[in-house]
Structure formats: structure tokens, C-alpha cells
Amino acid sequence: MKESGPESKDSVDPTRVTEVLDSLIESGFHEINRETNGLLLSGLSAGLDIGFGPVLMAVILTLSPGGYGDLGTELLLASVYSIGFMFVILGRLELFTEHTTVAVMPVLDGRASLAELGRLWGLVYVSNIVGGAVFVALIVTQLPDLGVASPEAFETIGLSLVTHGFTWLFVAGVLAGWLMGLLAWLVTAAQETTSRLIIIFIVTGVIAILHLPHSIAGNVEVLFGVFLSPQISVIDYVSFLTLATMGNAVGGVVFVALLKYGHVVRGGE
């Protein structure tokens, strides 16, 4: 009993949670103060790299005898969807949906202004979107000739995101942003690369299984549909991107940044 006491106390040591918050604040403060060119290049790279997830999803749908609703296919789709996020997050690239939580922390702590936050969000978001669009253009002009993924597969993926009402897109976007905020928190708390890989796999896999709209990955998914399917229009794309982005931002800011910061700071007091 005497030996288990310190372990039990250490397992709930509030200083560990405080260290996670401090690390997020420092990380967010560093990103807010990065040079514009660095942010744009990193965001562009993130938009490019995250596109591998949707492409692999299309490959799975092309090769699999099943489709959405089939358990085996859904699990495979969730697995490959996570790959793009692994590339981006472990590569420490700038991803908008992470910064809806991370970059808010120094603002809440009084170390950065809303204007500085807006600058970071704007640069990262635009570069993520442009990177995804460049990726789609490259794949659309090259991959169909390779016979790896069919246009119908890309159409199916895109339709799964745009055939919903505005309310669903926004609320589901909030859930996706919430999960991405939790991902940023958990990855910061994890000590090893293996742990981080598992966390990324689980959290982004949940987003895929639930077919939640992630604005940056979804940018790639729906753009493929715009290029390859007559059923997905530019209006569908703009509506999706607007509502998913708004939902992601609300989910990351309200349900993670504000709540996590509040409970750690108030708990410390």
C-alpha cells in the first residue's frame, strides 16, 4: 500500500496537465511569431501531404468488393485516411484545424492578440487549401491513366460529404474540429513517437468512420468530386468548405481551447 500511494498521486499530478498546457502555449506562441514565408510553405506542404489519405481511400473503394456501410471496407478507409494526418502532424507542418486549438492558447494566456491569431489562421488556411488544390490537379491529370483508382470512387467519397444539409455540415464540422483539438492536446501530452502515431490513427480514424467533414482533408475529397463527377458542383464545394471550416473552428476553439485552458488555469488556482 505504501508503494502504490506515490504512483497513484503521480498519476493524477496536476503539474503534468499544466505542463501540457504550457507546451501548447509555447508552441502556439512560436507559430504566431513565425515569418510569413515559413508559414505559407509549411501550410502548402501540409495541404499537399494530407491529400494522400483521400487518394488511398479512393484506391480502397476501387479495389474492395464492398463499399460504405461494409465493416471491413469502413475500417480500411479509416486506416488509410489517417495516413495523410500522420505525414502532416509528425512532420510538424502547419495544419489549420490544429491551430484552432494550439494558436488560441497564447491568446487566452494574454501573450498574443486576436489580430496575430487571425494572421496565422489566414496564412495557414489559405496555404492548406492551395496545397490541396495543387495535389488534386496533379492526381487528376496523372492517376486515372494508372488505373489505380476509378473516378467513381472519388465521386463516392465526395458525395458522402456534400449530400447533407447545412445544419449537418456545421454540427458535424464542430465534432471534427473538437476531435482535432483533442488530437493536438493528446499529441502534445504523448512522450513517444509510437504513442503519437497511435493517437493520430485513433482520432482521425474516428473522423473517417463517422464521415465527419474536416475542412482541409475534405477540401481534397470534394475537389476531386468537382473535377471527376457531374453530380458535385462548385457551389457544393464552396458550401461544404464554408460550413466545415466554421464548424471546425468552433469545435477546436470552444470545446478544446477554452475548456482545457479554463479547467487547467482554474484548477491550478
Side-chain angles (χ1 to χ4, degrees), residues 69-194:
D70 176 74
L71 179 59
T73 302
E74 290 278 6
L75 291 175
L76 283 173
L77 290 172
S79 298
V80 298
Y81 180 79
S82 301
I83 291 175
F85 289 94
M86 292 177 185
F87 292 161
V88 171
I89 295 171
L90 293 180
R92 298 185 179 277
L93 300 175
E94 307 291 349
L95 186 63
F96 171 73
T97 47
E98 271 199 300
H99 281 310
T100 56
T101 294
V102 176
V104 174
M105 294 300 187
V107 176
L108 295 175
D109 205 49
R111 298 182 59 184
S113 67
L114 287 174
E116 291 172 320
L117 174 64
R119 167 187 170 272
L120 174 65
W121 276 8
L123 292 173
V124 171
Y125 181 76
V126 170
S127 58
N128 283 172
I129 297 300
V130 171
V134 171
F135 182 88
V136 170
L138 289 173
I139 298 300
V140 165
T141 58
Q142 299 298 324
L143 196 58
D145 294 334
L146 300 178
V148 179
S150 67
E152 291 76 18
F154 287 110
E155 178 183 74
T156 299
I157 294 170
L159 286 173
S160 71
L161 293 174
V162 300
T163 53
H164 298 281
F166 290 170
T167 301
W168 183 93
L169 275 174
F170 177 75
V171 174
V174 169
L175 293 177
W178 187 347
L179 285 166
M180 288 302 298
L182 287 175
L183 176 59
W185 182 274
L186 294 173
V187 166
T188 301
Q191 301 296 318
E192 301 174 352
T193 300
T194 301

Side-chain angles (χ1 to χ4, degrees), residues 190-204:
Q191 301 296 318
E192 301 174 352
T193 300
T194 301
S195 301
R196 291 173 177 171
L197 275 171
I198 294 172
I199 291 168
I200 296 168
F201 178 80
I202 292 173
V203 175
T204 58

